[in-house]
């Protein structure tokens, strides 16, 4: 089953990426929500950035082992 991120969820990229807040799902060409791509906002040292990632690259913050 596909995981479903919600707006405001804090997620982390699998490859030691930054903490990110989910903005929502990316839109397909027909303006429907993507089942795969998530829009996120994160702080990148020099300011906030916005990008889109495949949801398989993201983990919920509580899934990350300290």
């Amino acid at each position: 089953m596909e995981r479903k991120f919600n707006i405001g969820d804090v997620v982390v990229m699998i490859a030691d990426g930054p903490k990110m807040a989910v903005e929502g799902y990316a839109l397909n060409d027909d303006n429907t929500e993507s089942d795969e791509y998530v829009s996120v906002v994160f702080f990148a040292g020099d300011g906030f950035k916005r990008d889109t990632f495949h949801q398989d690259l993201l983990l919920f913050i509580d899934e990350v082992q300290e």
Side-chain angles (χ1 to χ4, degrees):
M1 183 175 118
E2 294 284 328
R3 71 175 64 197
K4 186 72 174 170
F5 294 108
N6 295 305
I7 292 175
D9 285 343
V10 178
V11 294
V12 176
M13 279 186 56
I14 290 173
D16 295 328
K19 291 181 183 176
M20 306 173 176
V22 174
E23 275 198 314
Y25 284 78
L27 295 180
N28 297 314
D29 291 338
D30 60 358
N31 283 338
T32 59
E33 278 192 347
S34 171
D35 289 333
E36 298 179 351
Y37 289 93
V38 180
S39 176
V40 294
V41 173
F42 58 98
F43 188 76
D46 59 344
F48 285 95
K49 307 279 187 195
R50 175 179 285 116
D51 210 338
T52 302
F53 296 96
H54 194 284
Q55 67 177 358
D56 288 349
L57 298 177
L58 303 174
L59 294 171
F60 287 105
I61 191 74
D62 59 2
E63 293 178 312
V64 178
Q65 298 295 323
E66 295 292 330

